[in-house]
Amino acid sequence: MDQRLKVLWSRLLHLRSSAAALAAASGALVVAERHSRLVRLDPQTGASLWEQNVEDCWGTTVVAGNRCLYLSQAGVLHCFDVHSGQRMWSTPKLRLRHYVSVSGSVVFLGGWRGYRPLIRVDLANGELFPGQFPGPTSDSSLAWPLPVRLDPERGCTANAILIAPAKQAALLLLDARTGVTKGEWSLPAPVRFPDSGIAFSASEDGRVVFLSGRRRVMALHPATGVEILWRHDRDLPSLPPILTGRTLWLAEDTGVTIIDLDRSARSEVVRLPPGATSEGVPVSGGALFARAGNQLIMMNRAGEIAACVRLPGRIDRLLPDGRSLVHAIGKGHLTTIDISTTPT
């Protein structure tokens, strides 16, 4: 089958925006650019749908339902209507925070690289919740908190937040509004995550996949607990693993390791364009990986390179949008790729 990675459009951002300044959800694509502008773009064409002034382009953008949040590096959290761009509210004096996670009607803001206690903001009006949110103390860096929706049929509150401290070999699942512990699991070693704080990836069956230490790949399902998926024989980079069905994908500096969990068999793809492997995202039938040197590589489960394309600049982050589009933000550019066929 002929495989293609088609570049639909590319947009010059004019500055090197933060990789976290890009958000995509339900067909909504929003990015901060040009010093102080937040824009919503048409994912298919790149055409601008609305724009709003913000303080800078080095903050964090999140789309949650019909709201778009932008936390500027200057410490102002803005909320816009994602469809019209109308400003709903703005809350200042939130400096030295970078993580933005939305769980139900609660917005969690984490410290710069996690070194500040979590605070909460009401999504409806931008008001701060009183008191400090329970959880690890500020002397431990936190991974980017992950919103988790629990099964209400089990008598649990629907909205919770998953927390992983860098200095504690444990996962904590806390009720988003009350902070009550809904789950706590011991790990062989603390969750490993990069400076960006992104430690987790989600599989199609609802499990959360992560690294525990440098060599263990683990998964959590709130209903069944944690399990070790794979023990690697060498240290892994601090990148979230990818789980698609029963196939595990591990990005490594020298290439990509693909593991069939049913057979405990693995294949190593090392004949790749020069440069280390970094970001990876699942796509239909396989996975897409960024390589140093501006290369995007699509692989199928057999370890075959299905397609390759070179982008205008270095790739800092990949963000899938449905089953056919992937957005890549890098050094001063945003590019959208259409995955037109499915790897086999």
Side-chain angles (χ1 to χ4, degrees):
M1 182 182 294
D2 182 26
Q3 310 292 341
R4 296 184 180 90
L5 290 176
K6 178 183 178 183
V7 175
L8 282 184
W9 53 268
S10 189
R11 182 182 182 90
L12 185 64
L13 302 178
H14 296 276
L15 279 177
R16 186 174 179 178
S17 303
S18 164
L22 176 68
S26 302
L29 180 66
V30 186
V31 66
E33 61 171 22
R34 296 175 183 261
H35 293 274
S36 59
R37 190 168 71 172
L38 188 73
V39 297
R40 181 185 172 190
L41 307 172
D42 184 312
Q44 292 287 342
T45 66
S48 178
L49 301 177
W50 55 254
E51 64 180 68
Q52 283 282 3
N53 290 327
V54 289
E55 291 74 25
D56 51 57
C57 62
W58 304 291
T60 303
T61 307
V62 171
V63 175
N66 61 355
R67 301 293 178 94
C68 174
L69 298 170
Y70 181 72
L71 175 64
S72 66
Q73 196 177 73
V76 182
L77 180 64
H78 301 277
C79 179
F80 304 97
D81 182 285
V82 75
H83 301 293
S84 68
Q86 177 185 357
R87 191 185 303 267
M88 310 299 291
W89 49 260
S90 296
T91 301
K93 300 180 180 179
L94 300 173
R95 292 195 63 202
L96 299 179
R97 288 178 171 85
H98 177 60
Y99 307 162
V100 180
S101 302
V102 181
S103 181
S105 60
V106 182
V107 183
F108 286 82
L109 305 180
W112 192 258
R113 294 187 177 179
Y115 289 102
R116 291 180 74 86
L118 289 175
I119 61 173
R120 296 176 299 161
V121 172
D122 193 321
L123 181 61
N125 52 30
E127 294 182 1
L128 288 169
F129 282 76
Q132 182 175 319
F133 187 70
T137 58
S138 60
D139 64 347
S140 179
S141 175
L142 301 179
W144 197 306
L146 181 71
V148 176
R149 188 164 182 84
L150 300 176
D151 185 358
E153 294 181 359
R154 296 179 177 268
C156 299
T157 302
N159 297 305
I161 197 85
L162 184 64
I163 298 193
K167 296 181 180 180
Q168 184 178 348
L171 287 174
L172 301 174
L173 187 64
L174 305 177
D175 184 283
R177 282 205 163 264
T178 66
V180 171
T181 301
K182 293 296 183 182
E184 184 173 0
W185 300 272
S186 297
L187 304 174
V191 173
R192 190 164 186 231
F193 52 90
D195 284 346
S196 67
I198 300 175
F200 307 114
S201 67
S203 68
E204 296 174 348
D205 61 4
R207 284 183 290 177
V208 178
V209 187
F210 57 93
L211 292 178
S212 174
R214 296 179 178 272
R215 298 191 176 189
R216 290 183 184 88
V217 182
M218 299 192 68
L220 164 72
H221 195 292
T224 57
V226 293
E227 61 177 319
I228 297 176
L229 296 177
W230 180 258
R231 290 182 177 88
H232 211 46
D233 56 2
R234 53 181 175 262
D235 291 351
L236 291 165
S238 53
L239 297 169
I242 299 171
L243 180 63
T244 59
R246 296 291 296 168
T247 302
L248 187 64
W249 309 75
L250 304 177
E252 301 191 67
D253 290 342
T254 55
V256 176
T257 300
I258 304 171
I259 300 156
D260 183 329
L261 294 176
D262 287 328
R263 298 187 296 116
S264 295
R266 78 185 201 184
S267 58
E268 297 183 4
V269 184
V270 295
R271 293 187 176 181
L272 297 174
T277 308
S278 56
E279 185 85 12
V281 295
V283 295
S284 180
L288 189 67
F289 292 93
R291 295 277 290 176
N294 316 344
Q295 295 273 3
L296 272 181
I297 308 293
M298 186 162 65
M299 298 180 186
N300 60 25
R301 291 186 176 92
E304 300 166 336
I305 297 177
C308 179
V309 66
R310 182 183 293 275
L311 298 190
R314 198 181 86 179
I315 304 163
D316 293 328
R317 185 186 179 199
L318 297 175
L319 200 59
D321 185 355
R323 297 182 63 85
S324 63
L325 298 183
V326 174
H327 308 291
I329 187 170
K331 190 175 181 180
H333 70 92
L334 171 62
T335 303
T336 291
I337 301 98
D338 178 27
I339 304 169
S340 58
T341 56
T342 303
T344 56

mmCIF file of all heavy atoms in Angstrom, residues 70-90:
data_model
loop_
_atom_site.group_PDB
_atom_site.id
_atom_site.type_symbol
_atom_site.label_atom_id
_atom_site.label_comp_id
_atom_site.label_asym_id
_atom_site.label_seq_id
_atom_site.Cartn_x
_atom_site.Cartn_y
_atom_site.Cartn_z
ATOM 1 N N TYR A 70 -5.629 29.977 28.426
ATOM 2 C CA TYR A 70 -4.238 30.303 28.141
ATOM 3 C C TYR A 70 -3.607 30.899 29.393
ATOM 4 O O TYR A 70 -4.059 31.923 29.901
ATOM 5 C CB TYR A 70 -4.101 31.295 26.982
ATOM 6 C CG TYR A 70 -2.652 31.608 26.665
ATOM 7 C CD1 TYR A 70 -1.844 30.651 26.058
ATOM 8 C CD2 TYR A 70 -2.076 32.828 27.013
ATOM 9 C CE1 TYR A 70 -0.504 30.903 25.789
ATOM 10 C CE2 TYR A 70 -0.734 33.094 26.740
ATOM 11 C CZ TYR A 70 0.048 32.129 26.139
ATOM 12 O OH TYR A 70 1.380 32.370 25.879
ATOM 13 N N LEU A 71 -2.576 30.226 29.905
ATOM 14 C CA LEU A 71 -1.812 30.725 31.045
ATOM 15 C C LEU A 71 -0.526 31.316 30.512
ATOM 16 O O LEU A 71 0.352 30.606 30.027
ATOM 17 C CB LEU A 71 -1.507 29.590 32.022
ATOM 18 C CG LEU A 71 -0.607 29.955 33.211
ATOM 19 C CD1 LEU A 71 -1.284 30.991 34.112
ATOM 20 C CD2 LEU A 71 -0.227 28.715 34.004
ATOM 21 N N SER A 72 -0.409 32.636 30.579
ATOM 22 C CA SER A 72 0.772 33.307 30.047
ATOM 23 C C SER A 72 1.945 33.150 31.008
ATOM 24 O O SER A 72 1.767 32.910 32.207
ATOM 25 C CB SER A 72 0.485 34.794 29.815
ATOM 26 O OG SER A 72 0.258 35.461 31.050
ATOM 27 N N GLN A 73 3.160 33.301 30.480
ATOM 28 C CA GLN A 73 4.339 33.245 31.329
ATOM 29 C C GLN A 73 4.327 34.399 32.328
ATOM 30 O O GLN A 73 4.928 34.303 33.410
ATOM 31 C CB GLN A 73 5.606 33.281 30.482
ATOM 32 C CG GLN A 73 6.859 32.853 31.217
ATOM 33 C CD GLN A 73 8.063 32.836 30.315
ATOM 34 O OE1 GLN A 73 8.593 33.878 29.941
ATOM 35 N NE2 GLN A 73 8.508 31.645 29.950
ATOM 36 N N ALA A 74 3.619 35.468 32.002
ATOM 37 C CA ALA A 74 3.485 36.607 32.918
ATOM 38 C C ALA A 74 2.576 36.301 34.097
ATOM 39 O O ALA A 74 2.475 37.108 35.024
ATOM 40 C CB ALA A 74 2.960 37.825 32.155
ATOM 41 N N GLY A 75 1.866 35.155 34.057
ATOM 42 C CA GLY A 75 1.071 34.749 35.196
ATOM 43 C C GLY A 75 -0.382 35.154 35.144
ATOM 44 O O GLY A 75 -1.029 35.292 36.184
ATOM 45 N N VAL A 76 -0.931 35.325 33.946
ATOM 46 C CA VAL A 76 -2.355 35.629 33.795
ATOM 47 C C VAL A 76 -3.033 34.436 33.125
ATOM 48 O O VAL A 76 -2.580 33.969 32.073
ATOM 49 C CB VAL A 76 -2.587 36.901 32.959
ATOM 50 C CG1 VAL A 76 -4.078 37.218 32.873
ATOM 51 C CG2 VAL A 76 -1.827 38.083 33.548
ATOM 52 N N LEU A 77 -4.096 33.942 33.751
ATOM 53 C CA LEU A 77 -4.882 32.853 33.169
ATOM 54 C C LEU A 77 -6.100 33.439 32.493
ATOM 55 O O LEU A 77 -6.940 34.075 33.144
ATOM 56 C CB LEU A 77 -5.306 31.858 34.251
ATOM 57 C CG LEU A 77 -6.146 30.663 33.765
ATOM 58 C CD1 LEU A 77 -5.351 29.779 32.808
ATOM 59 C CD2 LEU A 77 -6.649 29.837 34.952
ATOM 60 N N HIS A 78 -6.200 33.248 31.170
ATOM 61 C CA HIS A 78 -7.320 33.756 30.379
ATOM 62 C C HIS A 78 -8.254 32.611 30.016
ATOM 63 O O HIS A 78 -7.802 31.482 29.787
ATOM 64 C CB HIS A 78 -6.827 34.403 29.080
ATOM 65 C CG HIS A 78 -5.889 35.544 29.282
ATOM 66 N ND1 HIS A 78 -6.312 36.831 29.547
ATOM 67 C CD2 HIS A 78 -4.525 35.601 29.242
ATOM 68 C CE1 HIS A 78 -5.260 37.626 29.660
ATOM 69 N NE2 HIS A 78 -4.166 36.902 29.478
ATOM 70 N N CYS A 79 -9.538 32.916 29.913
ATOM 71 C CA CYS A 79 -10.529 31.943 29.461
ATOM 72 C C CYS A 79 -11.333 32.561 28.327
ATOM 73 O O CYS A 79 -11.878 33.669 28.470
ATOM 74 C CB CYS A 79 -11.449 31.545 30.609
ATOM 75 S SG CYS A 79 -12.734 30.361 30.142
ATOM 76 N N PHE A 80 -11.395 31.859 27.187
ATOM 77 C CA PHE A 80 -12.123 32.332 26.013
ATOM 78 C C PHE A 80 -13.162 31.294 25.599
ATOM 79 O O PHE A 80 -12.979 30.093 25.828
ATOM 80 C CB PHE A 80 -11.162 32.568 24.839
ATOM 81 C CG PHE A 80 -10.033 33.508 25.142
ATOM 82 C CD1 PHE A 80 -8.784 33.018 25.509
ATOM 83 C CD2 PHE A 80 -10.212 34.878 25.067
ATOM 84 C CE1 PHE A 80 -7.734 33.876 25.788
ATOM 85 C CE2 PHE A 80 -9.169 35.744 25.334
ATOM 86 C CZ PHE A 80 -7.921 35.246 25.707
ATOM 87 N N ASP A 81 -14.222 31.771 24.970
ATOM 88 C CA ASP A 81 -15.156 30.865 24.310
ATOM 89 C C ASP A 81 -14.451 30.320 23.072
ATOM 90 O O ASP A 81 -13.988 31.077 22.224
ATOM 91 C CB ASP A 81 -16.427 31.617 23.917
ATOM 92 C CG ASP A 81 -17.452 30.696 23.270
ATOM 93 O OD1 ASP A 81 -17.251 30.319 22.100
ATOM 94 O OD2 ASP A 81 -18.450 30.358 23.923
ATOM 95 N N VAL A 82 -14.331 28.995 22.979
ATOM 96 C CA VAL A 82 -13.526 28.413 21.920
ATOM 97 C C VAL A 82 -14.140 28.653 20.545
ATOM 98 O O VAL A 82 -13.417 28.686 19.527
ATOM 99 C CB VAL A 82 -13.311 26.903 22.167
ATOM 100 C CG1 VAL A 82 -14.567 26.100 21.859
ATOM 101 C CG2 VAL A 82 -12.120 26.373 21.374
ATOM 102 N N HIS A 83 -15.453 28.846 20.460
ATOM 103 C CA HIS A 83 -16.102 29.029 19.163
ATOM 104 C C HIS A 83 -16.022 30.479 18.682
ATOM 105 O O HIS A 83 -15.670 30.736 17.530
ATOM 106 C CB HIS A 83 -17.560 28.585 19.250
ATOM 107 C CG HIS A 83 -17.721 27.157 19.662
ATOM 108 N ND1 HIS A 83 -17.321 26.100 18.867
ATOM 109 C CD2 HIS A 83 -18.221 26.605 20.804
ATOM 110 C CE1 HIS A 83 -17.560 24.967 19.486
ATOM 111 N NE2 HIS A 83 -18.114 25.236 20.665
ATOM 112 N N SER A 84 -16.327 31.430 19.566
ATOM 113 C CA SER A 84 -16.373 32.846 19.166
ATOM 114 C C SER A 84 -15.099 33.612 19.480
ATOM 115 O O SER A 84 -14.848 34.671 18.899
ATOM 116 C CB SER A 84 -17.548 33.533 19.868
ATOM 117 O OG SER A 84 -17.320 33.611 21.272
ATOM 118 N N GLY A 85 -14.290 33.094 20.412
ATOM 119 C CA GLY A 85 -13.118 33.835 20.847
ATOM 120 C C GLY A 85 -13.410 34.883 21.899
ATOM 121 O O GLY A 85 -12.498 35.594 22.341
ATOM 122 N N GLN A 86 -14.657 34.998 22.335
ATOM 123 C CA GLN A 86 -15.014 35.993 23.345
ATOM 124 C C GLN A 86 -14.290 35.697 24.655
ATOM 125 O O GLN A 86 -14.250 34.573 25.127
ATOM 126 C CB GLN A 86 -16.525 35.995 23.590
ATOM 127 C CG GLN A 86 -16.975 36.960 24.671
ATOM 128 C CD GLN A 86 -18.462 36.852 24.962
ATOM 129 O OE1 GLN A 86 -19.168 36.088 24.301
ATOM 130 N NE2 GLN A 86 -18.943 37.592 25.941
ATOM 131 N N ARG A 87 -13.727 36.754 25.253
ATOM 132 C CA ARG A 87 -13.041 36.614 26.531
ATOM 133 C C ARG A 87 -14.075 36.452 27.634
ATOM 134 O O ARG A 87 -14.939 37.304 27.831
ATOM 135 C CB ARG A 87 -12.148 37.820 26.804
ATOM 136 C CG ARG A 87 -11.188 37.654 27.982
ATOM 137 C CD ARG A 87 -10.435 38.955 28.231
ATOM 138 N NE ARG A 87 -9.720 39.386 27.036
ATOM 139 C CZ ARG A 87 -8.451 39.085 26.762
ATOM 140 N NH1 ARG A 87 -7.770 38.345 27.609
ATOM 141 N NH2 ARG A 87 -7.877 39.514 25.658
ATOM 142 N N MET A 88 -13.982 35.348 28.396
ATOM 143 C CA MET A 88 -14.925 35.076 29.473
ATOM 144 C C MET A 88 -14.450 35.669 30.793
ATOM 145 O O MET A 88 -15.218 36.274 31.524
ATOM 146 C CB MET A 88 -15.137 33.566 29.631
ATOM 147 C CG MET A 88 -15.457 32.836 28.324
ATOM 148 S SD MET A 88 -16.965 33.416 27.526
ATOM 149 C CE MET A 88 -18.203 32.823 28.679
ATOM 150 N N TRP A 89 -13.178 35.487 31.110
ATOM 151 C CA TRP A 89 -12.581 36.052 32.310
ATOM 152 C C TRP A 89 -11.063 35.961 32.225
ATOM 153 O O TRP A 89 -10.519 35.213 31.410
ATOM 154 C CB TRP A 89 -13.088 35.372 33.589
ATOM 155 C CG TRP A 89 -13.062 33.863 33.598
ATOM 156 C CD1 TRP A 89 -14.107 33.016 33.367
ATOM 157 C CD2 TRP A 89 -11.921 33.016 33.848
ATOM 158 N NE1 TRP A 89 -13.700 31.703 33.449
ATOM 159 C CE2 TRP A 89 -12.368 31.663 33.759
ATOM 160 C CE3 TRP A 89 -10.581 33.242 34.147
ATOM 161 C CZ2 TRP A 89 -11.516 30.575 33.941
ATOM 162 C CZ3 TRP A 89 -9.722 32.162 34.327
ATOM 163 C CH2 TRP A 89 -10.195 30.856 34.224
ATOM 164 N N SER A 90 -10.388 36.719 33.080
ATOM 165 C CA SER A 90 -8.930 36.668 33.199
ATOM 166 C C SER A 90 -8.565 36.783 34.672
ATOM 167 O O SER A 90 -9.124 37.627 35.379
ATOM 168 C CB SER A 90 -8.258 37.797 32.407
ATOM 169 O OG SER A 90 -8.500 37.679 31.024
#
